[in-house]
Amino acid sequence: RLDPDAEALRQRRLAALDSALAVPGIAVEYHWEASDTSGSGQPSAKYVDPESGQEITLLDSIAFSLAGAAGAVADSSGPAYSVSLRTSPTGREQLIATTTARQGDRIGVLVNGRMVTLAFVQSPLMTMLPVVARVPQEQAQALADRINSR
């Protein structure tokens, strides 16, 4: 039996991704949280973190996007799936630079303009960049397929 709070978080996470996948096309962007102090750029619109339900303001400048990605991978860890971007050689250099400079900050992941993940960057990221985690296989595969068909 699921904890009611855990079930509410799961439903919020799934609804955010469903909403993003309902939009035609694909755009994946990473934006630093505006409350973090080391960034440049102006705060943009507010988003709701699908994990906590808290309102989050992100910087308008894009820290990373599909332009630096070579493709996407859907992977399982038990019954849940995740989707990650594989970086291109140029994207890898950009990702290392931006995440090295911003260790300890949070980064929001927008899919088609909807926040699907808010992640804490603990160390520099190099070749793989998470998009979403703990989603059903169907959603993970649909997102990875859409990214890979761009």
Side-chain angles (χ1 to χ4, degrees), residues 99-129:
T99 58
T100 296
R102 301 292 301 258
Q103 289 180 68
D105 290 344
R106 296 194 305 178
I107 194 165
V109 183
L110 304 180
V111 175
N112 290 339
R114 284 133 178 105
M115 182 183 277
V116 297
T117 304
L118 182 65
F120 180 72
V121 176
Q122 297 177 6
S123 61
L125 300 173
M126 296 184 185
T127 58
M128 298 294 282
L129 186 60

Side-chain angles (χ1 to χ4, degrees), residues 6-125:
E7 179 61 14
L9 290 174
R10 186 180 82 77
Q11 290 299 325
R12 205 171 22 238
R13 183 174 52 252
L14 297 179
L17 187 54
D18 278 342
S19 175
L21 289 173
V23 176
I26 189 68
V28 180
E29 297 178 349
Y30 294 77
H31 296 258
W32 293 107
E33 183 178 15
S35 63
D36 295 330
T37 57
S38 63
S40 59
Q42 298 298 314
S44 68
K46 294 184 183 294
Y47 298 88
V48 175
D49 173 14
E51 290 289 325
S52 68
Q54 294 177 342
E55 194 171 78
I56 305 293
T57 303
L58 301 178
L59 296 175
D60 64 355
S61 56
I62 298 171
F64 193 82
S65 72
L66 286 179
V73 176
D75 191 26
S76 69
S77 56
Y81 279 71
S82 63
V83 176
S84 298
L85 295 180
R86 285 186 323 272
T87 58
S88 66
T90 304
R92 181 175 189 259
E93 297 306 316
Q94 176 193 1
L95 184 61
I96 291 169
T98 191
T99 58
T100 296
R102 301 292 301 258
Q103 289 180 68
D105 290 344
R106 296 194 305 178
I107 194 165
V109 183
L110 304 180
V111 175
N112 290 339
R114 284 133 178 105
M115 182 183 277
V116 297
T117 304
L118 182 65
F120 180 72
V121 176
Q122 297 177 6
S123 61
L125 300 173

